[in-house]
Amino acid sequence: MTASTDTTTLTGIGVSPGLVAGPVARMAPSIPEPEIETLPSGADLEEACDSVAAAALTVKKGLELSAAEAKGEGRTLLETTAQMAADPTLTSSAQAMIRERRLVPARAVWESAGTLASMLESLGGYMAERTRDVADVRDRIIAVLTDSPMPGIPRRPEPFVLVAEDLAPADTALLDPEKVVAFVTSEGGPTSHTAILARSLGIPAIVGAGAEVTDALTEGDIVLVDGTKGTITVNPSEDALRRARELASRVREFHGDGATRDGREVQLLANVGDGDGARSAAEANAMGVGLFRTEFCFLDQPEEPSIDQQVEAYKAVLEAFPGKKVVVRTLDAGADKPLPFLTDASEANPALGVRAYRTSRRDPEVLDHQLEALARAEADTEANVWVMAPMISTAEEAQAFVDKARSYGLRTAGMMIEVPSAAIMADKMFEHAEFASIGTNDLTQYVMAADRLLSSLADLSTAWQPAVLRLIKSACDGAAPHGRPVGVCGEAAADPALAVVLVGLGVASLSMTARALPDVDAVLKSVDFADCQRLAQLAIDSPTAEEARSAVRSGLPVLEELAL
């Protein structure tokens, strides 16, 4: 790999840290729009309709096979896309166009997908983000119908930096970190599924760079991607390449002893969704689980799993952490995680609707079954279960959930703080909740009134916003007189610089993807608690998110040394 003297630096939104170099490989363009053609006179319309159903089934089975080989969030994303391929809305609409307008199958699928995407986009929120799934499934079905190459990640003999307009969830789930050393997209935001999965895979990534940036990156260009700073250097210097190689050769490890330099313990925990994720987190020496996303056990289920099935799913996670804390979040169904047996996908604004704990207003038995299963799973293992409910908004809800959890024998019950009211009223909330974990993704969305999935508002969707940090401080201040611990389990916990700020605000534990543990640990061990408090004050006194981030990073020279 050689460098040129003609060096250019481009910028986007860094969402997954790391400094790597490689040649650009551009994502193959989407399947071109088929021409408007009709079937010839005498053509068998039912045979054409059957070809659409058969192609959709082929795509569904292919995605399911890929899902079976994937793990954690990647598997969930592939299963979700497979469900879209199986959605009769898409195929039946295309078949109607074949029968009524005699459209050729590929054109019928294209128009049917366009109608479905427009409907989802009009719903906003999570449903709008699913338009990317529709386009992905559309292209795959048309590829089968026209015997064209299946769209997806390019294949290259050497590792490369992937450049694309955006990545479909199915593409992101199949990324191989050994081949795709980094990726850059023109669209997307810091809390999109693409960004979250990039962090879980440990792939440096930049999103929301804009078409003018990605268009400037040509096939074969040597680029240096800094996923922390959000910069793409085209034709980097030999010195920059040498430094990137040196940093890549360093291996940082976490030894399960999270603390600041002066010995203040900070529990560094892992976010997991299933037994495989829990075992990986245990191997990474996580001090426990700070967020067990139980809905991952439900997402591929058309109906509520039995209590016995739930017990087995929960035990698979709990058994990986004998004697350690496992914080379990009850079902966070709704918005970006719809469950057909529990949520209403037709809500006008699902992010503000009947989601998470609120579903127990209509279907209390689902929560009852989950708490019973958790109690049984805890009794069969040696883990220390802490259970919390998402989307708690009032002190009455906090009390009701804690009382219900205790009625099933679950000793430690708390809540998520994702709604501004919970942070503002924290002093009253902690009269009931024994602990809380802050979900910074949703809290930021609600504080800034900015859809976390909308790439055009990505600059607002960051926990560096001083308004968000002030609410986190309010939550910690409300917990302190009651002696209740507050953790953070949102994406903010994996940002080493922001982790320092969170500890300074009073946060006692940070939960993240297991890959982020060594970096966060290294930075925390470089500062005293007083440094954390000083930097936290700088952040909440800043007028903007960018100034808060810059001020804190300037006070942490270790970040430059570690390329974080």
Side-chain angles (χ1 to χ4, degrees):
M1 186 184 300
T2 59
S4 161
T5 56
D6 185 16
T7 298
T8 305
T9 300
L10 307 169
T11 61
I13 302 170
V15 295
S16 185
L19 184 69
V20 295
V24 167
R26 296 189 64 88
M27 191 84 156
S30 300
I31 292 289
E33 180 177 351
E35 296 291 334
I36 300 177
E37 295 182 41
T38 55
L39 292 164
S41 176
D44 188 334
L45 299 184
E46 291 308 311
E47 183 179 342
C49 288
D50 290 344
S51 71
V52 170
L57 182 61
T58 297
V59 170
K60 174 179 176 288
K61 288 182 176 178
L63 290 167
E64 287 175 339
L65 286 173
S66 296
E69 297 174 0
K71 295 181 179 180
E73 294 186 32
R75 184 179 66 208
T76 302
L77 289 173
L78 287 165
E79 288 171 344
T80 301
T81 307
Q83 289 172 7
M84 178 64 76
D87 189 339
T89 305
L90 180 61
T91 51
S92 61
S93 174
Q95 290 170 332
M97 291 179 186
I98 292 172
R99 294 187 181 105
E100 296 167 12
R101 297 168 51 195
R102 303 184 64 86
L103 287 177
V104 296
R107 182 67 196 185
V109 169
W110 183 275
E111 292 194 13
S112 174
T115 301
L116 179 57
S118 295
M119 181 191 73
L120 293 174
E121 192 165 9
S122 69
L123 295 174
Y126 168 76
M127 302 310 292
E129 191 183 58
R130 295 218 64 194
T131 58
R132 190 70 187 86
D133 291 306
V134 174
D136 183 32
V137 168
R138 174 201 68 197
D139 289 353
R140 291 170 184 269
I141 292 175
I142 292 175
V144 174
L145 287 170
T146 59
D147 198 24
S148 301
M150 192 66 71
I153 308 295
R155 295 182 180 276
R156 297 286 187 277
E158 77 284 351
F160 57 88
V161 174
L162 180 64
V163 175
E165 177 183 321
D166 196 6
L167 296 180
D171 291 327
T172 315
L174 293 172
L175 287 176
D176 179 359
E178 296 298 317
K179 283 292 186 182
V180 182
V181 295
F183 67 79
V184 179
T185 65
S186 59
E187 298 182 1
T191 57
S192 66
H193 289 304
T194 299
I196 292 171
L197 195 60
R199 286 188 283 268
S200 72
L201 292 171
I203 299 176
I206 295 173
V207 301
E212 65 279 4
V213 169
T214 52
D215 288 349
L217 301 174
T218 58
E219 190 84 16
D221 277 348
I222 301 301
V223 295
L224 181 65
V225 176
D226 189 327
T228 302
K229 296 179 180 177
T231 60
I232 310 110
T233 305
V234 184
N235 298 319
S237 68
E238 289 292 353
D239 284 344
L241 290 173
R242 189 162 39 250
R243 180 167 182 267
R245 286 192 292 267
E246 178 195 345
L247 290 168
S249 67
R250 297 181 189 175
V251 178
R252 281 191 289 274
E253 294 182 352
F254 175 53
H255 300 290
D257 56 347
T260 58
R261 183 171 56 193
D262 55 341
R264 182 184 180 92
E265 184 185 66
V266 181
Q267 289 189 331
L268 298 185
L269 312 169
N271 295 340
V272 305
D274 56 20
D276 286 342
R279 287 185 286 274
S280 295
E283 291 170 4
N285 293 316
M287 299 168 76
V289 172
L291 175 63
F292 173 15
R293 303 181 178 103
T294 55
E295 60 276 359
F296 281 10
C297 304
F298 291 72
L299 284 176
D300 59 347
Q301 303 291 328
E303 56 188 32
E304 180 191 0
S306 69
I307 293 176
D308 287 343
Q309 288 174 315
Q310 292 185 52
V311 170
E312 293 307 307
Y314 302 152
K315 282 171 60 177
V317 171
L318 301 184
E319 287 170 347
F321 286 93
K324 294 185 178 180
K325 177 171 76 174
V326 176
V327 180
V328 181
R329 180 177 69 188
T330 58
L331 279 178
D332 189 20
D336 61 336
K337 295 177 285 290
L339 294 178
F341 60 84
L342 189 59
T343 58
D344 179 5
S346 66
E347 284 184 341
N349 195 337
L352 299 178
V354 182
R355 58 171 292 200
Y357 178 69
R358 296 172 182 177
T359 60
S360 63
R361 297 182 178 198
R362 185 179 58 216
D363 298 291
E365 69 281 356
V366 175
L367 177 60
D368 288 330
H369 296 162
Q370 188 170 27
L371 294 175
E372 180 182 344
L374 281 171
R376 283 175 51 186
E378 181 181 31
D380 289 346
T381 64
E382 298 177 25
N384 181 14
V385 171
W386 293 27
V387 62
M388 62 183 180
M391 288 292 287
I392 294 292
S393 305
T394 67
E396 293 94 332
E397 288 179 340
Q399 181 177 10
F401 175 73
V402 169
D403 288 347
K404 182 181 282 284
R406 286 176 178 160
S407 74
Y408 283 95
L410 294 162
R411 298 180 299 277
T412 308
M415 64 179 188
M416 292 283 292
I417 294 181
E418 302 156 290
V419 181
S421 63
I424 294 168
M425 297 294 291
D427 57 333
K428 301 301 180 183
M429 298 286 191
F430 284 109
E431 290 178 3
H432 312 288
E434 295 179 74
F435 72 97
S437 188
I438 299 173
T440 50
N441 297 357
D442 269 327
L443 182 62
T444 302
Q445 171 175 247
Y446 296 132
V447 171
M448 304 307 296
D451 188 335
R452 56 184 276 201
L453 303 178
L454 196 59
S455 59
S456 59
L457 298 178
D459 59 311
L460 298 177
S461 300
T462 170
W464 281 104
Q465 291 288 349
V468 176
L469 297 176
R470 290 185 183 199
L471 277 184
I472 293 173
K473 183 177 188 302
S474 177
C476 293
D477 289 347
H482 301 281
R484 310 295 200 193
V486 175
V488 167
C489 62
E491 293 301 311
D495 180 336
L498 194 46
V500 170
V501 171
L502 296 172
V503 170
L505 293 175
V507 169
S509 64
L510 299 166
S511 191
M512 63 202 76
T513 175
R515 287 180 178 272
L517 290 167
D519 291 341
V520 172
D521 177 57
V523 174
L524 285 176
K525 282 190 167 67
S526 75
V527 292
D528 294 334
F529 180 58
D531 298 324
C532 297
Q533 292 177 305
R534 176 179 56 80
L535 292 170
Q537 193 64 47
L538 274 179
I540 63 174
D541 287 343
S542 297
T544 69
E546 186 51 43
E547 288 177 74
R549 185 175 183 273
S550 296
V552 171
R553 290 187 63 85
S554 295
L556 290 169
V558 68
L559 295 173
E560 195 67 28
E561 298 172 20
L562 300 176
L564 296 174

